[in-house]
Amino acid sequence: MTEEFDVVVVGSGAGGGFDAMSLTESGLRVLLIERGRQFQQGEYPMVHPDWEIRPLPFAETIEHEPSIVLEQGSFLKPGFDHLRSRILEDPALSTNSRRLPFKYHRTFGLGGSTLQYQGEAHRFSPDAFQPYSAFGFGIDWPIGYTDLEPYYERAERILGVAGDNTNPFKPARDAFPTSAHKLSPASQLIEKSAAKLGWSLQPNSLALPTESFDGRAPCQGSGGCAYGCIYGAKSSVDLTAIARALRTGNLTIRTKTRAVSLDSDRQGTISGIVCRDQHKKQFVARGKAYVLATGAIETPRLLLASVSEFFKNGLSNNHDMVGRYFMESLFVSLDVLLENRLDPYKGVPIDSRIWDTAVPDPKRHGRSGFVLGVSGTAGGYHGPTSYALLTPGLGTAHKNTMREQFGSVVTLLGIADHDPGVDNRITLSDRHDEDNVPLVRINSSLSHNDLAVLEEMLESCRRLMAAAGVVKPLRLLSAYDTPISSHVGGTCRMGSDAQTSVVDSFGQSHTVPNLFITDASVLPGQGAGDSPSLTIQALAMRTADRVSELFKIRKL
Amino acid sequence: MLQVKGIFSGNRRSFLIHNLLAFTSLLLGFKTSNLSADDVIDKTWLSALVDAIVPPDEDPGAADAGVHERIAELLEKDTHRRKLYAQGKTITDRAIRENGEVSLQEMTSDARTRLLYELAVLRPQTDDQIMYRFLLQLRYDALRFFYASETGQEMLGYRPPIYGYNS
């Protein structure tokens, strides 16, 4: 490829897609590089009645080219063994002494992880931008809520976010683009129990429009967001931001193409991105500016792997900050058996949240706030097959249990910020993949405060369960021993100080002036339990505005 | 996702592993199966096997839903899985003979379930826990194919999302 673009964007998910949209709409010519391919709705498993046993098309590559060196997890702290993931009817706890190895679930495809996300579209609360000031936890961001508010509003308009603007735990705002989803029967049940505890259950804000939006069908409540929306209703980035970018005529997309390293020159800038296409043919993509948006693991991997005589420790890593402050998902989920069959797998995956626990509290100083949620599917109970595999036993007993319990399991969730320790980090392995890119190692452990928050979240879920008169708890899954990767962040975090951060508040590298990052790696915190995608999208548009401005004043 | 436990809970596995040495003498006669693919893909045997996981009662069982046919197709393509099934068949057939039974097919579904559970969970295993792994694989295959079938879905009154939930 000899054509030179204004900007080369690597990764087409929440950050890359919105960045490409804003850049092209400002008149810049953009090359968007995506490792996966574009998918059509007819390819997703749910178009088939036996969808549960069909593979996810955008996740299949994971098995063929795992990029993570699975290492033994960190040692468990015996005093917290009540947090072990387990079937609750079985009195036996597992005897593992370590956490399970970290498994990283990636999505390859145009739209990135938004192909698989459940549509949660949260504005982080103002306190979440100042976690140290508000909670005595983590680090304050170099920007605040008001800096992102106009970008949040724009992202919501593009996505057709459905929500209720009377949520008292969020700043006052205008109406959402589409009205909130009605609470499911399971959420209505938990709403009553929350009220007994003095909490208020709020409808979740979701990029799952409740009305026809931008020529797309409204959400059909299939509960299958994680499998790819067969109705094209979910506002994934391929159908929203990238579609808009294509309409400008300024966007070129190279799918099935992988960025393997970044070339730099003696001026200390990036001169090109070395890419390989599906036929393993190598080429260099060139632009005046480069945006990385490949996520909190792949972005530091690419930077650390881009070693040159000018950047001996990897790009933008002068102070050994790339890869540090890795944050995993600090979560608990409690699957509970309801008295009646409510079929909670129907509807949207997480239709309600409780934010009462996300506000600063002097008694909890030093600990993250957290958000509770109700989900029909988060525990993995999507349909008959997943129910069957999660139900213990064999033979007649198993079959009877299936008849009794199918459609009656709901999951109560708690999600918080992972304490971003400096030694929680991504490093490179000595091993390389088929494109000769080093594999990555993830070193992640939980602090005492993290464990205390897990305890609080579990206790909150138990109280909700008890107040709801639920029949019994079935299964506990917790980050104590089971790390998950759904909201990973950090690793190239933003900050004002070049010694302790990788990029500035606009996502621009402190040391490589034509390098920008717009993915979860720049997040200094995780929003006290809110989902990060809308914040990544807002930050990406803010970064794009900065890039456009620099082009206008010829600084790029 | 959390591994399915219940009767296969981690502590029982540990118990089995820790007691392996004590029972090694019981296992000296075991050899890797010499069964051919045709033996393993014997659909009569497979249908009896899957009915041990989902037995017929007032509702159809796994064999009624054709689960054994789906597994046979898998076994034709997947040599690792076929080897495991062959090893499981060898151990199961031997136990049936030792118990004075004629064949798996002649036993009731509940008796087959009990036998598999006993062989996989209660008895000591070879060091790579073949029967345990075989039962886990069989359970996984049979439950997946049964509950993804129209028969399994109808039993639970489940309507897949392609037919719509908002109507």
Side-chain angles (χ1 to χ4, degrees):
Chain A
M1 174 172 266
T2 53
E3 189 180 358
E4 186 162 319
F5 295 87
D6 293 318
V7 186
V8 179
V9 178
V10 184
S12 68
F18 269 73
D19 198 68
M21 176 195 71
S22 289
L23 292 169
T24 53
E25 287 182 344
S26 74
L28 295 172
R29 291 175 313 112
V30 173
L31 171 64
L32 180 61
I33 293 170
E34 167 53 48
R35 189 167 170 181
R37 65 180 174 90
Q38 184 164 18
F39 292 96
Q40 305 299 325
Q41 289 135 37
E43 295 179 79
Y44 296 142
M46 276 192 170
V47 298
H48 304 281
D50 63 350
W51 63 276
E52 283 194 283
I53 60 171
R54 290 176 179 264
L56 272 179
F58 39 70
E60 64 184 356
T61 320
I62 291 170
E63 291 170 13
H64 300 145
E65 193 278 295
S67 63
I68 307 294
V69 178
L70 291 180
E71 294 187 286
Q72 286 190 307
S74 55
F75 281 104
L76 295 170
K77 297 183 171 61
F80 292 89
D81 268 358
H82 52 288
L83 293 170
R84 280 182 189 266
S85 301
R86 63 192 186 275
I87 303 284
L88 292 161
E89 277 185 325
D90 187 342
L93 291 174
S94 71
T95 53
N96 297 338
S97 59
R98 291 173 179 266
R99 302 180 80 204
L100 293 175
F102 200 97
K103 287 187 179 172
Y104 177 40
H105 297 278
R106 289 180 299 179
T107 308
F108 292 139
L110 195 69
S113 58
T114 66
L115 296 175
Q116 200 167 8
Y117 86 144
Q118 317 222 38
E120 289 199 297
H122 299 146
R123 296 184 183 193
F124 284 2
S125 299
D127 289 331
F129 292 90
Q130 310 296 321
Y132 187 75
S133 302
F135 301 101
F137 167 86
I139 187 171
D140 289 348
W141 296 38
I143 56 172
Y145 177 82
T146 51
D147 294 306
L148 274 195
E149 190 173 26
Y151 295 100
Y152 275 142
E153 193 182 331
R154 183 162 181 239
E156 288 169 344
R157 281 203 312 270
I158 291 164
L159 299 169
V161 172
D164 178 352
N165 66 346
T166 63
N167 184 341
F169 299 98
K170 295 291 182 183
R173 51 162 301 147
D174 292 338
F176 279 87
T178 65
S179 57
H181 286 262
K182 286 180 186 161
L183 289 183
S184 65
S187 280
Q188 289 174 34
L189 179 74
I190 302 299
E191 184 180 30
K192 289 176 192 155
S193 67
K196 290 178 194 167
L197 301 173
W199 295 335
S200 61
L201 195 82
Q202 303 289 331
N204 209 353
S205 50
L206 300 162
L208 310 171
T210 46
E211 302 151 31
S212 290
F213 193 83
D214 204 16
R216 293 181 289 115
C219 175
Q220 302 295 304
S222 72
C225 297
Y227 298 87
C229 182
I230 59 174
Y231 301 104
K234 182 173 75 170
S235 296
S236 52
V237 167
D238 54 330
L239 302 181
T240 53
I242 293 174
R244 286 174 64 121
L246 283 169
R247 288 200 286 269
T248 66
N250 291 327
L251 181 68
T252 301
I253 300 175
R254 288 286 299 252
T255 54
K256 300 188 217 173
T257 298
R258 182 184 184 190
V260 294
S261 66
L262 288 78
D263 283 344
S264 52
D265 55 29
R266 62 178 65 251
Q267 283 78 42
T269 60
I270 298 173
S271 55
I273 298 184
V274 180
C275 299
R276 279 190 196 155
D277 67 17
Q278 60 181 315
H279 306 298
K280 300 293 175 196
K281 190 177 167 194
Q282 190 161 302
F283 67 94
V284 179
R286 298 197 190 280
K288 296 183 180 71
Y290 299 87
V291 178
L292 296 187
T294 56
I297 293 176
E298 291 294 329
T299 288
R301 181 187 188 194
L302 199 49
L303 292 175
L304 292 170
S306 298
V307 173
S308 68
E309 60 178 304
F310 314 111
F311 295 99
K312 295 189 187 319
N313 297 319
L315 263 178
S316 200
N317 194 31
N318 304 37
H319 300 287
D320 190 24
M321 282 292 114
V322 172
R324 291 192 183 274
Y325 300 108
F326 172 72
M327 299 175 289
E328 57 178 86
S329 304
L330 194 68
F331 80 99
V332 296
S333 71
L334 189 64
D335 304 329
V336 298
L337 181 63
L338 305 172
E339 196 169 359
N340 299 309
R341 177 168 173 171
L342 298 177
D343 286 341
Y345 55 84
K346 294 180 181 175
V348 297
I350 305 176
D351 72 329
S352 60
R353 288 277 192 189
I354 293 169
W355 273 276
D356 297 71
T357 49
V359 296
D361 177 350
K363 288 181 286 190
R364 301 183 65 258
H365 189 76
R367 295 181 191 172
S368 163
F370 59 91
V371 181
L372 302 169
V374 181
S375 174
T377 56
Y381 294 85
H382 291 275
T385 302
S386 46
Y387 262 81
L389 294 173
L390 289 166
T391 299
L394 292 174
T396 302
H398 183 274
K399 197 174 181 186
N400 287 338
T401 306
M402 282 295 290
R403 281 185 287 235
E404 287 162 17
Q405 297 187 356
F406 180 73
S408 304
V409 179
V410 73
T411 299
L412 305 176
L413 307 160
I415 306 177
D417 274 22
H418 180 199
D419 194 357
V422 69
D423 292 325
N424 277 9
R425 65 186 300 196
I426 305 299
T427 54
L428 298 183
S429 161
D430 295 334
R431 291 164 50 194
H432 293 70
D433 66 19
E434 60 182 7
D435 289 320
N436 203 32
V437 179
L439 305 186
V440 297
R441 295 178 187 279
I442 300 175
N443 186 352
S444 183
S445 59
L446 303 183
S447 69
H448 187 87
N449 277 339
D450 289 329
L451 297 173
V453 175
L454 285 180
E455 278 188 320
E456 283 184 273
M457 292 195 293
L458 177 57
E459 177 59 22
S460 300
C461 291
R462 286 189 187 282
R463 290 175 66 201
L464 272 178
M465 181 190 76
V470 160
V471 175
K472 63 179 174 182
L474 293 178
R475 193 177 63 134
L476 167 65
L477 194 59
S478 105
Y480 172 63
D481 56 359
T482 309
I484 64 168
S485 60
S486 55
H487 292 175
V488 291
T491 68
C492 293
R493 76 178 183 183
M494 66 162 69
S496 305
D497 183 352
Q499 309 245 348
T500 58
S501 58
V502 177
V503 296
D504 68 13
S505 67
F506 291 98
Q508 185 174 19
S509 164
H510 288 304
T511 51
V512 183
N514 65 345
L515 170 64
F516 298 81
I517 302 176
T518 62
D519 57 32
S521 68
V522 304
L523 302 179
Q526 294 167 297
D530 279 335
S531 288
S533 58
L534 194 74
T535 298
I536 294 167
Q537 289 160 339
L539 286 170
M541 289 190 290
R542 189 167 180 270
T543 296
D545 279 358
R546 177 67 166 174
V547 171
S548 300
E549 194 180 302
L550 292 173
F551 267 96
K552 278 179 196 155
I553 61 174
R554 300 183 182 280
K555 288 280 183 72
L556 281 173
Chain B
M1 281 293 127
L2 181 66
Q3 294 300 308
V4 178
K5 294 202 288 185
I7 65 167
F8 308 120
S9 61
N11 70 325
R12 292 191 181 96
R13 287 193 71 183
S14 302
F15 174 83
L16 289 171
I17 292 165
H18 290 139
N19 286 282
L20 269 178
L21 289 176
F23 294 101
T24 304
S25 61
L26 294 176
L27 304 168
L28 290 176
F30 178 79
K31 290 180 182 170
T32 304
S33 171
N34 292 320
L35 287 173
S36 70
D38 286 345
D39 290 331
V40 180
I41 302 173
D42 170 359
K43 289 182 184 168
T44 315
W45 178 73
L46 278 178
S47 67
L49 198 62
V50 298
D51 272 353
I53 307 299
V54 187
D57 48 18
E58 69 268 28
D59 289 308
D64 298 321
V67 169
H68 56 298
E69 304 274 358
R70 301 290 302 271
I71 293 178
E73 287 168 21
L74 268 185
L75 296 179
E76 280 184 7
K77 290 181 260 180
D78 183 341
T79 53
H80 291 295
R81 199 186 235 108
R82 192 162 68 228
K83 182 180 175 191
L84 185 60
Y85 270 70
Q87 291 170 325
K89 187 173 192 317
T90 301
I91 297 171
T92 309
D93 285 350
R94 182 189 303 143
I96 288 168
R97 285 196 303 275
E98 287 169 2
N99 289 351
E101 303 273 0
V102 177
S103 69
L104 194 67
Q105 294 88 312
E106 298 294 318
M107 298 164 67
T108 65
S109 294
D110 282 348
R112 294 174 206 153
T113 308
R114 277 196 305 275
L115 176 69
L116 290 173
Y117 176 72
E118 184 191 332
L119 291 174
V121 180
L122 300 181
R123 284 194 192 175
Q125 303 281 301
T126 56
D127 57 354
D128 53 356
Q129 303 228 358
I130 286 168
M131 257 323 269
Y132 179 79
R133 289 192 292 116
F134 167 60
L135 183 54
L136 273 190
Q137 186 67 62
L138 169 66
R139 181 183 189 275
Y140 177 80
D141 292 341
L143 291 179
R144 267 168 54 88
F145 286 131
F146 179 74
Y147 286 103
S149 73
E150 201 175 329
T151 306
Q153 293 179 350
E154 271 183 13
M155 182 188 103
L156 298 173
Y158 173 76
R159 202 168 64 136
I162 185 64
Y163 302 124
Y165 288 152
N166 280 357
S167 55

